[in-house]
Amino acid sequence: MSVKAFELVPAVERELLMGDKARINIECIECCGKHLYVGTNDCFIHHFLLEEHATTKGMLSYTVQKLLFKYLGLKKPVEALKAASALERIIVLCDATVSVIDMITLEPVPSGGAKIKGVAAFCVNENPVNGDPFCVEIGVLSARRRTVQIYMVYEDRVQLVKEVNTPGQPCAVSLDGYFLCLALSTQYMILNYSTGAAQDLFPYDSEERKPIVKRIGREEFLLAAPGGLGMFANAEGISQRAPVNWSESVMGAAVCFPYVVALDEGFVTIHSMLDQQLKQTLSFRDGHILQDFEGKVVLASTKAVYVLVPLPLERQIQELLAGHRVEEALALTEGVRRNIPKDKFQILHKRILQQAGFIQFGQLQFLEAKEHFRTGQLDVRELISLYPLLLPASSSFARCHPPLHGFADLNHLAQGDQDKVQRCKRFLITYLGEVRSTEGANGCQEDVDTALLKLYAEQDHESLLDLLASPNACLLADSAPWLEKHHKYFALGLLYHYNGQDSAALQLWVQVVNGDLQDSTRSDLYEYIVDFLGFCSNPDLVWKYADWALQRDQTIGVQIFTRRPVGQDQVKEQKDQVNPDDVITYLGKHSQALLLYLEHLVLGRRIQKEKLHTHLAVQYTDRVLFLLSQSPPVDQQVSVARDKLQLLLRESSLYRVQLLLGKIQECDQLLLERATLHGKLEEHDKALHILVHQLKDFPAAEAYCVWGSASRDPAYQQSLFHLLLGVYLDRDLPSSTVTGELEMAAVDLLNRHGEVFDAVRVLDLLPEGWSLQLLRPFLGRALRGSMHACRTSQVALGLARSENLQLQHDRLEQRRSPVLVSQKKGCVLCHNTFSEPDCVCLPGGVPVHTHCAAQRVVRDSPTRRQLANSNNHT
């Protein structure tokens, strides 16, 4: 696709060059800075001064001043000119002779040694291998021999340094370092004149077309290949760039990166080196010279000289972007990276990426736009500003100048297409969600989060609550009216809470629950408020809304207090806690909630406090008595309430037993509870009497014995079971009673728990008329238990005797070695000698006086365990 990359600007007009002489033609040109040299067919060299000027439209124009012209006196055309600015010389090829003239005066160098004869063509090595800055290295093609000669050109002389033979007659040459790129009569080749290594490139026919050999960079050349191709080749003979497809009749080529400029019979064509596409074509009649000088491309017809002025790179890129040719613009920008200073390129590249992103955004190519925005480090507010009212009123953002796009706002972009508007909003939601946690939001977090909140609210997006429940920078002043507008009162409450305004949040949520405001975000908002109050650090708010919550539902409302943390010291009130005693007092008017809270403290938190246990037990008792007083009582409710009461009575040991016993003393329906309370008072006979004679619940009586003896020693357990057996076999009862149910209960008790009883005591209690068959399980277990105990004691006795025998053996072993004492041997404790054989032996067999050992025992009691008495054997 075309792009305007160059403009053709006249430099030297015909009248200035030749006046009215029609037969004078331009043969060659050379440019060095502002100096332009023109060689003509009448053997003249013309010297011009070119001055660049910028027009009002920002383009370049040239003013030309003719400084000098010189006739060389050979009556032959001037075939080639090359400037050597370091030497202030111009190298001239005329009449097959290379000579050197002064750059300023155009006079020949006085010395006769500055000429080379028999030359067909020459080129200057722009990457010289000689380190001398005051000489120029040239490659010369011989007109008569198949050779290339390397010369060093000095101010007043030339010196041959190398002559290289070629396989054919060369007709064009370009030199870079040690590498010669040659056009022979039938092919191109690369030749290293230092090592002699040669590499054939590709064939061509010099009779059909003029060869082109052009150095375009370090060890890289541009060649005119068959088929109208411009081929690139490096010093190794490899093409690292794709060829450009130019005209078959190309007569000159130059490179002005990233473009290849080619001249044919009627046109100048410009191809991109990046994508090899034809970008521009300029009409240019009678052209026959195309050269580039330090980035300046100069063309010449036979009568005039022109400069091909490249348009500023930014202007080219902007034209591509204006035509929505995003990929070409980006490729061009990347392609010229090496030609632009790093800092300037980064600025330019970012801006181009941002513009490209907005172009693709306008085309709804959101994935590509997002990538360009991210890579170009777009200030996200540039995008947000397209959406009306999304930026906070307090934002100081101003759009980039010059602007990155031509859209006034989203409505202008969409042109009334609401589907397009919605797609753009969905894209912005996605993009802001990704960018808010990256460096792209640095410095504008408030603007990003506020815009995102507004979009979430407007689009009824599920992520609105996630945004507000996490750390955010949403501005309350801007966000609150927007949330109210879209009836997002729950979300507004979250925003109030995040900004430390819990009172405002609760007030709003309570209005929603009461139906004063409409918001369907959460159907369980009442439960949420209770949970919120349960963790609220402001006790004043807790007390303010607790009554409202309890009036709606005591079961749920009491969770305000049950979910709050309670420390080890329940009485000690901390800053963000409520005192449990205060809560109990407050809940006095809410009986159901009070019961649940006491259960939470006693059963849930396991708080060991007599007051709380007694209070809960009283509440349970009152509840049971109330249910029993109903007419008729609901059996299921009574059963559940009694189960709770019985569990507490059995498991807790902190409540006031006498108080509870007094409350249920007159209630014959709570006999089981009375039995449990008697058990707590160690009044087991009363408890068992109730269970056996009043309730006639024999399994309950056995369970009572198991419960009552739990965590007690076996003797206590045995006494309790004997007490139950005694109740069953009470001889004071009528005989008929004993031989009835109680007799069977006694038998079952003995058979089930026979290992607990003392068999001898049991046999004394049993009636004489009971058969052995009836007591067979009990007697069998008793006999096995007795035998087991007997044998166990025998084993223990045997082990004890064995241990005693081993100790006696060890003692004899110790006595076998005598302890020697004499009047010459002293006590280690007092250092006095022994006057009598009585002594005490320390561990290790060291003898000491008995009185010294006694004193040591008194002084250091642990030593006492280390002393051993022994008899002295002499």
Side-chain angles (χ1 to χ4, degrees):
M1 298 180 69
S2 63
V3 62
K4 188 175 182 181
F6 294 89
E7 282 195 350
L8 195 60
V9 179
V12 180
E13 301 288 350
R14 172 176 178 169
E15 290 76 11
L16 185 60
L17 179 64
M18 60 192 68
D20 56 356
K21 298 178 181 180
R23 296 183 179 181
I24 297 176
N25 294 328
I26 298 174
E27 294 292 333
C28 60
I29 56 176
E30 172 69 354
C31 188
C32 182
K34 296 181 179 181
H35 299 274
L36 176 67
Y37 299 90
V38 179
T40 58
N41 62 344
D42 58 352
C43 204
F44 273 85
I45 298 177
H46 300 263
H47 182 193
F48 299 93
L49 182 65
L50 294 179
E51 294 285 352
E52 293 182 356
H53 299 283
T55 65
T56 55
K57 296 182 179 181
M59 294 302 301
L60 287 179
S61 65
Y62 293 92
T63 58
V64 183
Q65 180 183 358
K66 190 170 186 177
L67 299 180
L68 192 64
F69 62 95
K70 180 69 177 179
Y71 177 59
L72 299 183
L74 298 177
K75 296 184 181 181
K76 296 288 184 177
V78 179
E79 298 177 41
L81 297 172
K82 292 294 180 183
S85 58
L87 306 177
E88 294 187 350
R89 297 289 185 264
I90 294 179
I91 305 171
V92 183
L93 174 60
C94 182
D95 193 19
T97 301
V98 170
S99 60
V100 181
I101 65 175
D102 187 276
M103 181 180 285
I104 305 301
T105 64
L106 304 183
E107 293 293 336
V109 174
S111 173
K115 288 187 178 181
I116 307 171
K117 294 186 178 181
V119 177
F122 77 95
C123 67
V124 174
N125 190 349
E126 296 180 23
N127 181 26
V129 296
N130 189 336
D132 188 353
F134 297 104
C135 72
V136 176
E137 182 179 345
I138 64 173
V140 175
L141 300 183
S142 174
R144 300 181 183 88
R145 296 183 298 165
R146 297 178 178 182
T147 62
V148 179
Q149 297 171 327
I150 308 300
Y151 283 89
M152 295 297 177
V153 180
Y154 297 91
E155 288 187 5
D156 56 354
R157 61 189 174 88
V158 294
Q159 178 181 349
L160 177 64
V161 295
K162 188 77 173 181
E163 186 173 73
V164 184
N165 293 324
T166 60
Q169 180 64 43
C171 52
V173 64
S174 187
L175 181 59
D176 182 274
Y178 288 110
F179 295 97
L180 290 162
C181 186
L182 298 170
L184 305 181
S185 57
T186 59
Q187 69 175 5
Y188 291 102
M189 70 177 298
I190 299 287
L191 178 63
N192 186 321
Y193 74 78
S194 176
T195 63
Q199 173 68 50
D200 293 338
L201 298 179
F202 49 84
Y204 86 103
D205 189 350
S206 60
E207 294 182 359
E208 292 185 1
R209 64 182 59 83
K210 176 183 176 181
I212 295 176
V213 180
K214 179 70 178 177
R215 177 187 180 274
I216 63 171
R218 186 178 181 85
E219 298 183 359
E220 188 174 12
F221 305 93
L222 174 63
L223 311 172
L229 296 178
M231 297 288 295
F232 300 92
N234 61 17
E236 298 176 354
I238 299 172
S239 180
Q240 295 179 323
R241 304 178 193 269
V244 295
N245 191 0
W246 57 30
S247 169
E248 290 275 2
S249 58
V250 168
M251 61 184 69
V255 170
C256 182
F257 194 83
Y259 299 108
V260 176
V261 183
L263 174 65
D264 61 22
E265 295 175 349
F267 299 95
V268 176
T269 58
I270 294 99
H271 290 78
S272 172
M273 297 174 66
L274 305 176
D275 59 10
Q276 294 74 48
Q277 298 298 312
L278 178 64
K279 299 298 181 182
Q280 187 179 4
T281 301
L282 297 172
S283 176
F284 190 69
R285 299 295 179 183
D286 300 325
H288 72 120
I289 298 174
L290 173 62
Q291 294 287 344
D292 61 290
F293 307 100
E294 300 174 355
K296 182 183 297 182
V297 181
V298 182
L299 296 94
S301 64
T302 56
K303 306 297 183 181
V305 180
Y306 299 84
V307 178
L308 198 59
V309 179
L311 271 66
L313 180 65
E314 291 189 38
R315 179 173 170 183
Q316 296 181 42
I317 295 173
Q318 292 303 324
E319 287 188 1
L320 289 172
L321 292 175
H324 292 180
R325 293 155 63 182
V326 172
E327 297 305 323
E328 290 184 69
L330 293 174
L332 178 58
T333 306
E334 286 288 346
V336 298
R337 176 193 293 265
R338 66 181 185 180
N339 293 14
I340 302 176
K342 183 177 179 180
D343 294 343
K344 183 178 180 181
F345 173 78
Q346 289 180 345
I347 296 173
L348 173 64
H349 191 218
K350 288 179 182 179
R351 180 175 174 83
I352 300 305
L353 285 169
Q354 293 169 9
Q355 288 181 274
F358 276 108
I359 290 172
Q360 293 177 319
F361 173 75
Q363 297 172 343
L364 305 186
Q365 297 175 4
F366 296 128
L367 289 178
E368 295 83 354
K370 179 173 67 174
E371 186 60 32
H372 291 326
F373 288 153
R374 183 178 300 165
T375 309
Q377 298 177 12
L378 175 72
D379 184 337
V380 68
R381 293 174 294 182
E382 286 280 357
L383 184 59
I384 297 174
S385 66
L386 278 175
Y387 296 74
L389 303 177
L390 286 193
L391 277 177
S394 59
S395 176
S396 60
F397 171 75
R399 286 186 181 179
C400 178
H401 185 77
L404 297 173
H405 53 81
F407 307 122
D409 56 24
L410 187 60
N411 296 323
H412 176 212
L413 183 151
Q415 296 293 315
D417 187 342
Q418 290 304 309
D419 178 65
K420 192 172 185 179
V421 170
Q422 292 303 315
R423 292 178 65 185
C424 290
K425 288 182 177 180
R426 289 194 293 270
F427 164 71
L428 185 60
I429 287 175
T430 303
Y431 184 68
L432 292 182
E434 294 177 2
V435 81
R436 68 182 296 261
S437 59
T438 65
E439 294 181 359
N442 285 351
C444 56
Q445 193 70 50
E446 291 181 349
D447 294 349
V448 171
D449 284 2
T450 303
L452 192 56
L453 178 143
K454 291 180 178 180
L455 283 169
Y456 282 159
E458 180 183 295
Q459 298 292 311
D460 196 20
H461 200 279
E462 60 185 6
S463 297
L464 174 61
L465 303 184
D466 295 333
L467 172 67
L468 293 173
S470 61
N472 64 82
C474 299
L475 292 175
L476 181 60
D478 254 84
S479 303
W482 196 276
L483 293 173
E484 289 180 356
K485 174 184 175 182
H486 293 89
H487 305 290
K488 300 296 181 182
Y489 298 109
F490 177 70
L492 179 55
L494 291 179
L495 183 61
Y496 280 136
H497 169 60
Y498 187 79
N499 285 271
Q501 300 183 24
D502 289 352
S503 178
L506 286 167
Q507 182 179 359
L508 200 64
W509 291 337
V510 167
Q511 287 180 293
V512 174
V513 173
N514 290 339
D516 300 331
L517 297 175
Q518 300 301 316
D519 181 4
S520 60
T521 302
R522 291 195 68 140
S523 59
D524 61 340
L525 183 55
Y526 167 69
E527 290 81 359
Y528 181 86
I529 294 173
V530 170
D531 186 66
F532 182 86
L533 289 170
F535 294 94
C536 181
S537 59
N538 186 346
D540 293 336
L541 286 178
V542 174
W543 295 117
K544 179 177 179 180
Y545 290 99
D547 192 62
W548 170 84
L550 290 167
Q551 287 180 0
R552 292 190 66 89
D553 190 326
Q554 291 189 41
T555 304
I556 298 176
V558 75
Q559 295 176 11
I560 294 173
F561 303 105
T562 59
R563 292 183 178 180
R564 299 189 68 79
V566 179
Q568 294 297 323
D569 185 0
Q570 305 302 324
V571 181
K572 184 177 179 181
E573 184 175 3
Q574 300 182 10
K575 182 178 179 181
D576 59 344
Q577 296 178 349
V578 293
N579 192 321
D581 293 338
D582 294 340
V583 175
I584 293 172
T585 303
Y586 177 81
L587 294 178
K589 55 184 177 181
H590 303 285
S591 58
Q592 186 180 2
L594 175 60
L595 182 62
L596 293 172
Y597 184 66
L598 288 171
E599 287 180 340
H600 165 72
L601 295 178
V602 174
L603 305 179
R605 295 286 185 174
R606 299 289 181 181
I607 298 175
Q608 303 300 308
K609 193 174 180 182
E610 179 271 330
K611 181 179 179 181
L612 297 178
H613 284 244
T614 301
H615 200 160
L616 178 59
V618 169
Q619 288 290 319
Y620 278 160
T621 303
D622 291 343
R623 172 69 176 167
V624 171
L625 293 174
F626 170 76
L627 292 174
L628 291 173
S629 65
Q630 299 296 310
S631 181
V634 180
D635 294 339
Q636 183 177 1
Q637 293 182 2
V638 172
S639 176
V640 172
R642 290 190 66 187
D643 287 343
K644 289 184 177 182
L645 175 59
Q646 292 167 10
L647 178 64
L648 179 64
L649 296 180
R650 287 194 302 269
E651 299 297 329
S652 175
S653 299
L654 297 177
Y655 53 85
R656 294 165 59 187
V657 179
Q658 293 290 358
L659 174 64
L660 295 176
L661 197 56
K663 291 182 71 70
I664 64 173
Q665 191 69 41
E666 302 301 326
C667 183
D668 293 336
Q669 295 172 292
L670 300 180
L671 293 174
L672 185 59
E673 287 78 1
R674 284 168 55 189
T676 304
L677 290 173
H678 283 300
K680 289 291 183 178
L681 295 174
E682 296 289 330
E683 297 175 350
H684 299 302
D685 54 343
K686 294 182 180 180
L688 292 173
H689 185 273
I690 292 173
L691 294 173
V692 173
H693 296 298
Q694 293 184 257
L695 287 176
K696 299 187 183 301
D697 191 344
F698 307 131
E702 291 184 25
Y704 173 85
C705 291
V706 174
W707 165 74
S709 60
S711 314
R712 307 296 286 266
D713 56 51
Y716 188 91
Q717 184 184 33
Q718 188 180 79
S719 66
L720 195 55
F721 272 92
H722 272 282
L723 182 61
L724 176 58
L725 183 61
V727 172
Y728 285 155
L729 303 176
D730 189 355
R731 300 182 186 277
D732 296 334
L733 295 175
S735 177
S736 60
T737 305
V738 175
T739 57
E741 295 179 351
L742 295 180
E743 180 180 310
M744 295 307 299
V747 172
D748 291 340
L749 178 66
L750 289 172
N751 290 336
R752 276 197 295 267
H753 301 280
E755 71 280 356
V756 179
F757 291 92
D758 182 347
V760 176
R761 290 178 57 190
V762 171
L763 292 176
D764 291 339
L765 290 174
L766 294 180
E768 293 181 359
W770 282 18
S771 67
L772 291 177
Q773 187 65 28
L774 189 64
L775 296 173
R776 181 178 180 181
F778 166 70
L779 293 175
R781 189 177 298 175
L783 286 174
R784 285 194 298 272
S786 178
M787 291 293 293
H788 175 73
C790 178
R791 290 168 181 171
T792 302
S793 62
Q794 288 176 350
V795 171
L797 179 61
L799 292 173
R801 286 175 176 173
S802 175
E803 183 180 10
N804 181 262
L805 184 61
Q806 182 66 41
L807 290 174
Q808 289 181 3
H809 174 268
D810 294 342
R811 184 166 176 266
L812 290 174
E813 287 292 329
Q814 290 293 332
R815 288 183 173 184
R816 181 176 298 175
S817 301
V819 178
L820 300 178
V821 295
S822 68
Q823 293 181 349
K824 296 180 180 181
K825 191 170 184 179
C827 173
V828 296
L829 296 180
C830 68
H831 306 292
N832 295 324
T833 59
F834 289 96
S835 58
E836 53 187 16
D838 292 339
C839 67
V840 173
C841 205
L842 294 178
V846 180
V848 296
H849 291 123
T850 54
H851 60 272
C852 291
Q855 291 175 0
R856 181 176 178 182
V857 169
V858 173
R859 185 172 65 251
D860 186 10
S861 59
T863 308
R864 184 183 308 182
R865 293 189 297 270
Q866 300 176 353
L867 297 176
N869 293 322
S870 65
N871 294 323
N872 189 26
H873 301 274
T874 60

